[in-house]
Amino acid sequence: MKKWLFLCIVLLVVGFRFYQKEESSVKYRPDSKTVAVQSETEGSEKTIHIDKEQIYEGNLILVNKDYPIHKKGTASDIIKLSQHEELTSGFSLLDHSIRLSQSVTEQFARLTEAAAKEGVTHFRISSGYRDSEEQEVLYREKGADYALPAGYSEHNSGLSLDIGSTLGEIGKAPEGDWLKANAWSYGFILRYPEDKTAITGIKYEAWHFRYAGLPHSQIMKDKNMVLEEYLEYLKQQQSVQITVDNRKYLVLYAPVSKNTSIQIPAGHPYEISGNNSDGVIVTVLLSTWKI
Ligand SMILES: [Zn+2]
């Protein structure tokens, strides 16, 4: 009987070790801040499993001349804006064919609603999602100085939009000023700023905004980082905490070279986005409170 018991234990241990080998495991590092998080959740953790393909999708994917978009990288909720009047009452469209991610459009509608309360009302979307054929045509027509080849443009993701003003050039219009000051609080980033052309490889575009979501847009704004720098920063930090609008977030980076498991504090909503090169970012909403 004892022999059987012994054999069972041996099998269980071997089996468990084998299971562990199947997945690499990433645990958030309990620095002094995350220890506080652990006590809030009474130390309980949730394990989430990441598929390697998840590297290529989500609001934080980096798409540039070095990292083309993956077939999974295009947002799954692309809509034709002219068919969604309920979302577009706060801005105009340059033409009826413009498409964009629905959730990004909803955030942009929130943004224009807030701007309208401050008297800034002349927003116009001039470009949104482009499929590879449209991007190729643009590249051929405009040339390498003004457009990127198909697959290398953020417009292929459905997360980027070119914003104009019906009052004139966006860089000189009140809409441009308002966006510069406030777009980040709705999850949008000015993707190609004037002082970062050496990093982005793209000349200053006052009109091109990209949705990255909160709290990322706030961190990038606070630290004056473009997406390239921010993703590198997360990779180095591995774990960042920030409070935005009374919401406390934990942001974790995990390298993913094969199917991976990540442990996060249990019982909190979270989102996963790839970086489009070698890992994922998990954003955990730790707490929300009202003043
Ligand atoms: Zn653009």
Side-chain angles (χ1 to χ4, degrees), residues 127-128 130 153-155 160-163 192 205 207-209:
S127 188
R130 295 179 204 137
S153 166
E154 277 198 340
H155 284 282
S160 289
L161 67 165
D162 293 339
I163 308 169
Y192 307 118
E205 291 193 356
W207 55 89
H208 182 108
F209 284 79

Side-chain angles (χ1 to χ4, degrees), residues 44-109:
S44 58
E45 291 176 347
K46 176 185 172 65
T47 302
I48 50 177
H49 299 277
I50 308 289
D51 183 281
K52 193 171 181 290
E53 297 268 284
Q54 284 178 270
I55 289 175
Y56 306 110
E57 60 190 17
N59 292 334
L60 291 170
I61 54 167
L62 177 66
V63 179
N64 63 18
K65 61 184 186 331
D66 300 318
Y67 297 99
I69 195 158
H70 185 274
K71 61 180 186 301
K72 297 197 85 175
T74 299
S76 56
D77 62 346
I78 304 286
I79 53 167
K80 199 175 204 179
L81 298 186
S82 55
Q83 292 172 350
H84 289 265
E85 280 176 23
E86 77 283 5
L87 291 174
T88 59
S89 58
F91 52 91
S92 58
L93 301 169
L94 187 65
D95 70 70
H96 289 293
S97 67
I98 293 173
R99 290 176 287 171
L100 194 64
S101 149
Q102 179 168 347
S103 51
V104 172
T105 311
E106 286 164 3
Q107 294 307 316
F108 187 66

